[in-house]
Amino acid sequence: MSANARILCPTLKQRLMSAEKAAELIPAGANVGMSGFTGAGYPKAVPGALAERIRKLNACEGSEPFRINVWTGASTAPELDGVLAEVDGIEMRLPFQSDPICRQRINNGTMDYVDLHLSEVSQYAWSGFLGKMDIALIEVAGIREDGSLIPSSSIGNNKTWIEQADKIILEVNSQQNIKLEGMHDVYYGTALPPHRKPIMLTDPSDRIGEFYFECPPEKVIAVVESNAADRNSPFKASDETSQKIAQHILDFFEREIELGRLPKELLPIQSGVGNIPNAVLEGLDAGPFKNLTAFTEVIQDGMLKMLKSGTLSVASATAFSLSPEGIKEFDENIDLYRDKIILRQQDISNHPELARRLGIIAMNGMIECDIYGNVNSTHIMGTRMMNGIGGSGDFARNGYLSIFVSPSIAKDGAISSIVPMVSHVDHTEHDVKVIVTEQGLADLRGLSPRQRAREIIKNCAHPDFRPALHDYFERALHSGRGMHTPHLLGEALSWHQRYEEEGQM
Ligand code: COA
């Protein structure tokens, strides 16, 4: 069905225009709330047209640099972050990105970046901490007769952006499967304190909201047709390291079930994106598990397989993140998936109250972890931004089990992922329950810092670095200083310093 045929509201049909014309409606310095979460549901036509406009304007000698502030749900794609960063069109970016050009600009100081817990972004916007939102630029799968909007492959912060923005530009993308209609659950019951009420969701399969976004037609200044696929990164087959990590986690789950600490259906799973989480999902699918549930941010290929096989009975998320094969599978079997998948806004998918109530099992990647269990998910060598904290803090802090995973070494063994002291802290020792590398798993629950250090070094460190970590810990223990969390302060970050200077920890 063409994009035009998906615009059923006569008033909004009158606002149809080209992406170039719509891009002209975005002024310099605007705060623009864009749709998009993990490469799904981002606007695909207007950002490119805007980047072209910025490129031309900035090429005029003596002109004031034209830049905007870009707020999204999470990461987008080269057609949004990439093109705008390339023309130096982004003044400030939030709340998460994973784009190589954005990353370069953030790290060379030409782009400001506010790295936020994904559950908190809407609260920040509602409270006015981010300033006024000028324009919302939202991809939708269709516009209904009454002007309400059919969400596309992600919800992210769209509900908040539509409510908060002075003006709205809509992109109607005919590549989004129209059968997505009915898979969303947009909740209109949130409020700022002191007016908050409990969120009445007690199972990942619960529906508490509406299928559509409410959208005041008078705020819509442009409607643009688009016809382009989501980012759809190819699916990488899991490697040996990921499979080993996955096996440690699966063994751990089985032990926890035997000990009566987890039910045989486990608890709702939250899984970050990437090689290792995918290997864990594959392992779960191959194992004896049935009727598991997911309460997570992103639905990946692995989850589709699990839904099809019955390993997973329901998956609640805020976005898809599928490979081209995953998209094909989803489109061809959408009738099978539509009752088993619910897409929610990110302030619900990542809500602390819900993560705690449901007892999420959170599995996320990390850059490094220290011997006491503090985790760095974001900063390379303490200073260079990788992606951002995303939802990892929402789930790790509030879930039942927070598991952090990483290969024990990086950069061909030049770097140990287990270090004496992390160079940046995203998740404190209080929020981290389990650390897993391909070497093994350290269950930190109920352990003191010194006990944790022994477990992490013994089970998770790479053999090439284990003796040096032991040596550090033993000398710290005999330093005659604080014995609760023993450290040699002058040496604690020397591993990172050595890597920066010599290329080897
Ligand atoms: N020091 C320096 N560099 C390191 C490193 C370390 N300790 N550990 C990994 N790296 C580098 C890798 O070499 C790789 O570099 P490259 O891109 O130049 O090849 C890069 O970091 C990514 O490493 P990789 O092992 O491929 O990790 P990943 O794709 O599994 O991502 C995180 C790991 C931590 C970056 C990722 O999980 C993340 O962004 N987490 C934060 C957000 C989050 O958790 N989201 C999910 C919540 S819902």
Side-chain angles (χ1 to χ4, degrees), residues 358-378:
L358 297 175
I360 302 298
I361 299 178
M363 293 180 279
N364 291 296
M366 63 180 185
I367 285 171
E368 60 181 5
C369 153
D370 68 28
I371 55 175
Y372 297 113
N374 299 289
V375 163
N376 171 9
S377 292
T378 56

Side-chain angles (χ1 to χ4, degrees), residues 37-38 96-98 103 115 118 236 270-277 296-298 350 363-369 375-382 384-395 404-412 415-419 423 426-427 496 499 505:
F37 198 106
T38 331
F96 185 84
Q97 60 74 47
S98 62
R103 188 180 296 137
D115 179 21
L118 297 187
K236 274 198 260 163
Q270 177 268 326
S271 157
V273 283
N275 234 345
I276 300 171
T296 189
E297 269 178 22
V298 170
N350 290 33
M363 293 180 279
N364 291 296
M366 63 180 185
I367 285 171
E368 60 181 5
C369 153
V375 163
N376 171 9
S377 292
T378 56
H379 283 68
I380 303 290
M381 300 298 143
R384 295 188 288 281
M385 174 54 69
M386 185 70 194
N387 301 322
I389 193 166
S392 55
D394 295 323
F395 296 113
F404 283 94
V405 299
S406 169
S408 65
I409 47 174
K411 302 288 176 213
D412 296 325
I415 292 174
S416 171
S417 310
I418 311 295
V419 289
S423 55
D426 292 293
H427 310 290
H496 301 85
Y499 177 77
M505 272 189 170

Side-chain angles (χ1 to χ4, degrees), residues 31-91:
N31 291 329
V32 186
M34 303 204 192
S35 59
F37 198 106
T38 331
Y42 53 91
K44 297 168 180 76
V46 178
L50 178 63
E52 188 48 28
R53 179 171 165 234
I54 294 175
R55 194 183 58 76
K56 285 187 186 141
L57 287 171
N58 285 353
C60 299
E61 221 165 294
S63 63
E64 278 288 299
F66 187 121
R67 301 171 108 202
I68 60 166
N69 303 311
V70 177
W71 312 351
T72 60
S75 60
T76 64
E79 303 99 290
L80 192 165
D81 273 319
V83 288
L84 287 171
E86 191 154 17
V87 297
D88 196 10
I90 304 179
E91 178 75 28

Side-chain angles (χ1 to χ4, degrees), residues 8 10-11 18 21 62 65 146 151 230 249 252 295-296 308 319 342 442 478 500:
L8 301 183
T11 317
S18 68
K21 282 268 172 257
D146 62 0
D230 279 330
I249 295 178
F252 171 74
F295 196 78
T296 189
K308 204 169 189 179
I342 303 172
H478 294 97
E500 292 286 51

Side-chain angles (χ1 to χ4, degrees), residues 33-332:
M34 303 204 192
S35 59
F37 198 106
T38 331
Y42 53 91
K44 297 168 180 76
V46 178
L50 178 63
E52 188 48 28
R53 179 171 165 234
I54 294 175
R55 194 183 58 76
K56 285 187 186 141
L57 287 171
N58 285 353
C60 299
E61 221 165 294
S63 63
E64 278 288 299
F66 187 121
R67 301 171 108 202
I68 60 166
N69 303 311
V70 177
W71 312 351
T72 60
S75 60
T76 64
E79 303 99 290
L80 192 165
D81 273 319
V83 288
L84 287 171
E86 191 154 17
V87 297
D88 196 10
I90 304 179
E91 178 75 28
M92 198 277 286
R93 181 75 177 86
L94 67 80
F96 185 84
Q97 60 74 47
S98 62
D99 181 80
I101 310 172
C102 271
R103 188 180 296 137
Q104 203 179 10
R105 287 209 174 273
I106 291 164
N107 289 322
N108 71 17
T110 54
M111 186 192 297
D112 279 321
Y113 180 45
V114 181
D115 179 21
L116 289 170
H117 292 300
L118 297 187
S119 72
E120 262 189 342
V121 184
S122 62
Q123 167 171 292
Y124 262 59
W126 275 107
S127 306
F129 302 154
L130 304 173
K132 184 83 198 87
M133 170 165 289
D134 300 297
I135 293 181
L137 171 53
I138 309 289
E139 181 187 90
V140 294
I143 302 177
R144 299 171 78 231
E145 233 166 68
D146 62 0
S148 60
L149 310 172
I150 306 170
S152 78
S153 50
S154 72
I155 294 200
N157 281 315
N158 297 356
K159 170 190 165 281
T160 301
W161 294 167
I162 291 167
E163 288 171 331
Q164 287 277 300
D166 288 341
K167 295 172 181 165
I168 299 169
I169 299 175
L170 298 173
E171 276 196 20
V172 183
N173 184 355
S174 56
Q175 286 235 355
Q176 292 291 357
N177 196 323
I178 196 66
K179 286 194 177 175
L180 284 169
E181 182 171 1
M183 291 180 77
H184 309 91
D185 192 57
V186 186
Y187 181 61
Y188 280 92
T190 54
L192 285 178
H195 305 293
R196 284 198 175 135
K197 299 274 186 306
I199 297 169
M200 302 306 277
L201 188 152
T202 56
D203 187 275
S205 63
D206 286 348
R207 286 189 161 275
I208 54 171
E210 316 290 325
F211 292 147
Y212 309 107
F213 295 126
E214 296 164 7
C215 176
E218 63 280 7
K219 287 214 289 188
V220 178
I221 55 169
V223 178
V224 173
E225 293 175 67
S226 72
N227 179 20
D230 279 330
R231 184 178 73 196
N232 300 338
S233 311
F235 181 73
K236 274 198 260 163
S238 58
D239 57 11
E240 200 189 328
T241 304
S242 314
Q243 285 164 11
K244 281 187 182 162
I245 292 175
Q247 195 53 52
H248 295 311
I249 295 178
L250 296 168
D251 294 346
F252 171 74
F253 287 159
E254 280 178 15
R255 257 194 330 272
E256 289 297 296
I257 293 169
E258 269 167 36
L259 291 169
R261 301 198 291 208
L262 277 178
K264 67 180 187 340
E265 301 81 19
L266 302 178
L267 288 166
I269 295 165
Q270 177 268 326
S271 157
V273 283
N275 234 345
I276 300 171
N278 265 318
V280 176
L281 297 183
E282 276 171 16
L284 284 171
D285 207 18
F289 300 100
K290 283 280 164 239
N291 287 325
L292 307 185
T293 58
F295 196 78
T296 189
E297 269 178 22
V298 170
I299 297 189
Q300 305 157 75
D301 288 26
M303 285 197 182
L304 291 189
K305 287 196 188 122
M306 291 166 81
L307 285 166
K308 204 169 189 179
S309 69
T311 305
L312 204 58
S313 61
V314 70
S316 163
T318 193
F320 288 98
S321 181
L322 299 173
S323 70
E325 304 86 72
I327 282 279
K328 192 163 171 284
E329 163 62 26
F330 178 71
D331 283 346
E332 283 172 5

